[in-house]
Short mmCIF file of all heavy atoms in Angstrom, two decimals:
data_model
loop_
_atom_site.label_atom_id
_atom_site.label_comp_id
_atom_site.label_asym_id
_atom_site.label_seq_id
_atom_site.Cartn_x
_atom_site.Cartn_y
_atom_site.Cartn_z
N ASP A 837 -4.96 -91.56 12.30
CA ASP A 837 -6.22 -90.87 12.55
C ASP A 837 -6.58 -90.06 11.31
O ASP A 837 -6.49 -88.84 11.28
CB ASP A 837 -6.03 -89.94 13.78
CG ASP A 837 -7.32 -89.23 14.16
OD1 ASP A 837 -8.39 -89.68 13.72
OD2 ASP A 837 -7.25 -88.22 14.91
N PRO A 838 -6.97 -90.77 10.23
CA PRO A 838 -7.23 -90.10 8.94
C PRO A 838 -8.34 -89.06 9.09
O PRO A 838 -9.28 -89.26 9.86
CB PRO A 838 -7.68 -91.23 8.03
CG PRO A 838 -7.19 -92.48 8.66
CD PRO A 838 -7.20 -92.22 10.13
N HIS A 839 -8.22 -87.97 8.36
CA HIS A 839 -9.23 -86.92 8.44
C HIS A 839 -10.55 -87.44 7.85
O HIS A 839 -10.55 -88.07 6.79
CB HIS A 839 -8.76 -85.70 7.64
CG HIS A 839 -9.61 -84.51 7.87
ND1 HIS A 839 -10.87 -84.39 7.32
CD2 HIS A 839 -9.44 -83.41 8.64
CE1 HIS A 839 -11.41 -83.25 7.73
NE2 HIS A 839 -10.55 -82.64 8.53
N PRO A 840 -11.68 -87.17 8.54
CA PRO A 840 -12.97 -87.71 8.08
C PRO A 840 -13.30 -87.37 6.63
O PRO A 840 -13.83 -88.23 5.90
CB PRO A 840 -14.00 -87.09 9.03
CG PRO A 840 -13.27 -86.22 9.99
CD PRO A 840 -11.80 -86.45 9.82
N LEU A 841 -12.97 -86.16 6.17
CA LEU A 841 -13.30 -85.80 4.79
C LEU A 841 -12.50 -86.65 3.79
O LEU A 841 -13.03 -87.10 2.78
CB LEU A 841 -13.01 -84.32 4.52
CG LEU A 841 -14.05 -83.29 4.98
CD1 LEU A 841 -13.52 -81.89 4.69
CD2 LEU A 841 -15.39 -83.51 4.29
N PHE A 842 -11.21 -86.85 4.08
CA PHE A 842 -10.38 -87.64 3.17
C PHE A 842 -10.77 -89.11 3.20
O PHE A 842 -10.76 -89.80 2.18
CB PHE A 842 -8.90 -87.44 3.50
CG PHE A 842 -8.37 -86.15 2.97
CD1 PHE A 842 -8.42 -84.99 3.72
CD2 PHE A 842 -7.87 -86.08 1.67
CE1 PHE A 842 -7.96 -83.78 3.21
CE2 PHE A 842 -7.40 -84.88 1.15
CZ PHE A 842 -7.46 -83.72 1.93
N LYS A 843 -11.12 -89.56 4.40
CA LYS A 843 -11.55 -90.94 4.56
C LYS A 843 -12.80 -91.20 3.70
O LYS A 843 -12.87 -92.17 2.96
CB LYS A 843 -11.87 -91.13 6.05
CG LYS A 843 -12.05 -92.50 6.52
CD LYS A 843 -11.94 -92.45 8.06
CE LYS A 843 -12.81 -93.51 8.69
NZ LYS A 843 -12.71 -93.44 10.17
N ASP A 844 -13.75 -90.27 3.79
CA ASP A 844 -15.00 -90.48 3.07
C ASP A 844 -14.85 -90.21 1.57
O ASP A 844 -15.50 -90.84 0.75
CB ASP A 844 -16.10 -89.60 3.67
CG ASP A 844 -17.47 -90.22 3.43
OD1 ASP A 844 -17.69 -91.35 3.91
OD2 ASP A 844 -18.30 -89.60 2.72
N PHE A 845 -13.97 -89.28 1.24
CA PHE A 845 -13.71 -88.98 -0.18
C PHE A 845 -13.12 -90.23 -0.86
O PHE A 845 -13.53 -90.62 -1.95
CB PHE A 845 -12.74 -87.80 -0.25
CG PHE A 845 -12.33 -87.37 -1.64
CD1 PHE A 845 -13.28 -87.02 -2.59
CD2 PHE A 845 -10.98 -87.28 -1.99
CE1 PHE A 845 -12.90 -86.60 -3.86
CE2 PHE A 845 -10.59 -86.86 -3.26
CZ PHE A 845 -11.55 -86.52 -4.19
N VAL A 846 -12.17 -90.87 -0.21
CA VAL A 846 -11.56 -92.07 -0.79
C VAL A 846 -12.58 -93.21 -0.81
O VAL A 846 -12.61 -94.00 -1.76
CB VAL A 846 -10.26 -92.47 -0.03
CG1 VAL A 846 -9.70 -93.77 -0.58
CG2 VAL A 846 -9.22 -91.36 -0.15
N ARG A 847 -13.46 -93.27 0.21
CA ARG A 847 -14.51 -94.30 0.19
C ARG A 847 -15.38 -94.10 -1.06
O ARG A 847 -15.70 -95.05 -1.77
CB ARG A 847 -15.38 -94.19 1.45
CG ARG A 847 -16.45 -95.27 1.55
CD ARG A 847 -17.55 -94.90 2.53
NE ARG A 847 -18.15 -93.60 2.28
CZ ARG A 847 -18.97 -93.30 1.27
NH1 ARG A 847 -19.34 -94.24 0.42
NH2 ARG A 847 -19.44 -92.08 1.10
N ALA A 848 -15.73 -92.83 -1.34
CA ALA A 848 -16.56 -92.54 -2.52
C ALA A 848 -15.81 -92.93 -3.80
O ALA A 848 -16.40 -93.49 -4.73
CB ALA A 848 -16.94 -91.07 -2.54
N ALA A 849 -14.51 -92.65 -3.84
CA ALA A 849 -13.70 -93.01 -5.01
C ALA A 849 -13.68 -94.54 -5.17
O ALA A 849 -13.74 -95.07 -6.29
CB ALA A 849 -12.29 -92.46 -4.86
#
Side-chain angles (χ1 to χ4, degrees):
D837 183 18
H839 191 285
L841 279 177
F842 282 89
K843 192 164 148 181
D844 206 61
F845 179 56
V846 176
R847 183 199 53 73

